[in-house]
């Protein structure tokens, strides 16, 4: 097969870098069979009869992207969404979550430095790549900061990389609650650490994910001991929030900075102070628990919030290499296979002008019914 790249002046990888690798640069890719992108393709640019890979943001019936799916069907496009590419157990094979965690953890620490003046870090968006960031990490000496990290998936793994590269000491949840430290430390919490059954029964992970409304938060002791909170969980709205706004207003609520990498907007998220998503250009806001409203990021009594919802864009070269490696390992051979494969069949939303059986539930969304 041949690989072609559409010319672009605004990409983190320059046209010259592609040319140096011997890749053909073109102004029109409409003669290619398979078209790869990342963000949604503008409706006007969708070419009939092609196979497309991109994040379509349609599988949850997002109203703003209905025109994309309608056009995909009208033009008999085969649409494969990265979010739907899974193994047999349903685990996603391609995702940017790891680098969301890397950038989110860094931004949480950057926000702490800006709020307190304890140290100074550059923004990742201003660095060439993570290797340049590491130059600053090697020089940085953190104060005795207490950090709590939630989650165990890709996002949390990205956070762990930053914390380990900064040589922040990891302690158990129990040690975190019981001891004082003269150095920066963090603890990583799983669901068993921050949630408990309302009826006093034993915690069961499968039951928690299936019946989150039967559980209540057990996070309060950590909120009373942590300075910085990095949130990387996948949240189901049936599950309890970590804390309430009323709890945030109490004198014993110690957290001053929240890096909500999950960025599920309240009231449908695990952090009630995440009332809006921020941007790379304007990354922070303050949340005043006493008023329940937003304010300046560093106002006295406010919690500094970092809620950027496109974090990997701050480190695009590394994130793109990482994403491309997953594509090569998981999908390239499948595209070359003479027959269809389970992975691609499971991930195909539309084909031949029709929704596939797995995604037939989107028909009313396409038709504009049930709004």
């Amino acid at each position: 097969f041949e690989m072609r790249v559409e010319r672009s002046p605004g990409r983190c990888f320059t046209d010259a870098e592609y040319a140096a690798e011997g890749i053909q640069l073109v102004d029109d890719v409409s003669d290619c069979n398979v078209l790869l992108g990342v963000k949604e393709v503008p409706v006007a640019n969708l070419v009939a009869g092609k196979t497309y890979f991109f994040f379509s943001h349609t599988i949850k019936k997002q109203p703003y992207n209905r025109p994309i799916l309608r056009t995909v069907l009208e033009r008999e496009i085969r649409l494969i969404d990265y979010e739907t590419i899974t193994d047999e157990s349903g685990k996603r094979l391609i995702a940017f979550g790891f680098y969301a965690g890397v950038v989110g953890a860094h931004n949480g620490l950057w926000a702490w430095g800006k709020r307190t003046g304890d140290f100074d870090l550059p923004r990742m968006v201003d660095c060439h790549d993570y290797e340049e960031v590491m130059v600053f990490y090697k020089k940085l000496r953190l104060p005795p900061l207490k950090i709590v990290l939630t989650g165990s998936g890709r996002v949390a793994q990205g956070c762990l990389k930053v914390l380990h590269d900064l040589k922040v000491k990891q302690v158990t949840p129990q040690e975190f609650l019981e001891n004082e430290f003269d150095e920066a430390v963090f603890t990583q919490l799983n669901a068993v650490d921050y949630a408990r059954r309302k009826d006093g029964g034993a915690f069961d992970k499968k039951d928690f994910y299936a019946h989150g409304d039967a559980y209540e938060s057990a996070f309060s002791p950590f909120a009373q001991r942590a300075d910085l909170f990095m949130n990387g969980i996948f949240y189901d709205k049936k599950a309890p929030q970590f804390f309430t706004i009323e709890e945030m207003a109490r004198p014993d609520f110690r957290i001053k900075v929240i890096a909500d990498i999950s960025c599920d907007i309240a009231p449908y998220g695990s952090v009630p102070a995440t009332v809006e998503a921020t941007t790379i250009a304007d990354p922070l806001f303050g949340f005043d628990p006493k008023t329940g409203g937003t304010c300046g990021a560093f106002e006295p009594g406010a919690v500094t919030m970092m809620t950027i919802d496109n974090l990997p864009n701050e480190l695009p070269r590394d994130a793109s290499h990482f994403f491309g490696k997953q594509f090569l390992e998981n999908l390239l051979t499948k595209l070359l296979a003479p027959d269809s494969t389970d992975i691609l069949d499971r991930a195909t939303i539309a084909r031949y002008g029709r929704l596939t059986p797995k995604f037939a539930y989107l028909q009313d969304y396409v038709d504009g019914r049930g709004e």
Side-chain angles (χ1 to χ4, degrees):
F1 65 94
E2 297 176 44
M3 177 69 74
R4 299 177 187 174
V5 170
E6 187 177 48
R7 290 187 178 89
S8 171
R11 201 168 35 218
C12 68
F13 295 100
T14 65
D15 288 351
E17 286 178 284
Y18 282 106
E21 297 291 337
I23 297 171
Q24 184 180 0
L25 288 152
V26 297
D27 294 313
D28 183 359
V29 294
S30 60
D31 62 333
C32 296
N33 305 103
V34 180
L35 301 175
L36 308 177
V38 178
K39 298 291 285 183
E40 299 97 321
V41 177
V43 169
N45 293 19
L46 288 166
V47 182
K50 303 297 183 181
T51 292
Y52 274 91
F53 286 83
F54 60 90
F55 287 105
S56 70
H57 297 120
T58 58
I59 61 175
K60 297 179 182 178
K61 301 185 178 182
Q62 293 94 320
Y64 55 90
N65 277 342
R66 182 186 287 112
I68 286 180
L69 193 51
R70 284 176 171 170
T71 305
V72 162
L73 295 170
E74 290 167 3
R75 298 181 186 175
E76 298 189 358
I77 288 167
R78 184 187 188 193
L79 173 60
I80 302 175
D81 192 307
Y82 296 120
E83 285 193 73
T84 63
I85 299 170
T86 64
D87 62 16
E88 293 180 357
S89 68
K91 181 181 178 182
R92 284 181 60 184
L93 296 175
I94 297 182
F96 279 112
F98 178 82
Y99 273 94
V102 168
V103 179
H106 177 93
N107 282 352
L109 289 162
W110 169 82
W112 180 270
K114 289 298 181 185
R115 177 178 177 123
T116 64
D118 287 345
F119 53 85
D120 190 33
L121 278 172
R123 292 288 303 281
M124 280 188 165
V125 70
D126 297 324
C127 296
H128 183 71
D129 52 21
Y130 191 76
E131 186 175 342
E132 182 179 340
V133 178
M134 278 295 297
V135 173
F136 293 92
Y137 284 0
K138 289 175 181 177
K139 300 175 183 177
L140 185 64
R141 293 294 178 267
L142 293 173
L145 186 63
K146 297 189 74 173
I147 303 165
V148 61
L149 165 66
T150 51
S152 58
R154 289 185 175 93
V155 169
Q157 293 303 311
C159 293
L160 287 173
K161 176 171 179 56
V162 168
L163 293 169
H164 289 153
D165 285 346
L166 280 166
K167 302 190 185 309
V168 181
K169 181 179 179 180
Q170 183 169 5
V171 298
T172 67
Q174 184 176 357
E175 290 171 332
F176 190 87
L177 294 178
E178 294 179 354
N179 301 330
E180 294 295 336
F181 302 92
D182 59 4
E183 60 184 318
V185 300
F186 80 94
T187 195
Q188 182 180 12
L189 306 184
N190 293 309
V192 65
D193 302 305
Y194 60 74
R196 59 180 172 239
R197 284 192 61 88
K198 293 177 181 178
D199 61 9
F203 181 92
D204 181 89
K205 185 177 179 179
K206 289 184 178 179
D207 181 64
F208 173 69
Y209 289 125
H211 307 287
D213 51 358
Y215 290 75
E216 63 185 6
S217 175
F219 187 80
S220 180
F222 296 97
Q224 295 168 13
R225 302 288 286 173
D227 302 301
L228 169 59
F229 174 26
M230 299 177 180
N231 180 32
I233 70 164
F234 174 82
Y235 181 69
D236 185 318
K237 62 183 179 182
K238 293 182 295 184
Q241 294 183 316
F242 287 114
F243 39 77
T244 65
I245 293 175
E246 290 74 22
E247 288 172 320
M248 292 181 70
R250 294 176 185 170
D252 61 355
F253 188 89
R254 177 168 158 174
I255 297 170
K256 295 295 186 291
V257 174
I258 297 177
D260 190 358
I261 304 162
S262 300
C263 194
D264 295 309
I265 305 300
Y268 305 111
S270 55
V271 178
T274 302
V275 294
E276 62 184 55
T278 57
T279 64
I280 292 173
D282 189 13
L284 306 175
F285 68 89
F287 182 83
D288 186 343
K290 293 182 179 178
T291 66
T294 61
C295 59
F298 309 127
E299 290 289 324
V303 177
T304 302
M305 301 293 301
M306 193 293 302
T307 59
I308 297 172
D309 63 359
N310 60 338
L311 287 162
N313 282 17
E314 284 204 49
L315 211 59
R317 297 179 69 88
D318 298 82
S320 295
H321 276 300
F322 181 77
F323 194 82
K325 187 171 185 289
Q326 294 174 83
F327 189 93
L328 290 172
E329 292 175 350
N330 293 304
L331 284 178
L332 189 62
T333 57
K334 308 296 187 297
L335 282 172
L336 296 175
D339 302 313
S340 64
T341 66
D342 289 343
I343 288 178
L344 291 182
D345 285 345
R346 280 195 300 270
T348 299
I349 294 176
R351 183 194 288 128
Y352 309 131
R354 290 190 291 271
L355 295 167
T356 59
K358 180 180 177 181
F359 295 96
Y361 71 90
L362 294 172
Q363 191 62 57
D364 63 340
Y365 163 65
V366 172
D367 296 339
R369 294 181 280 111
E371 298 181 13

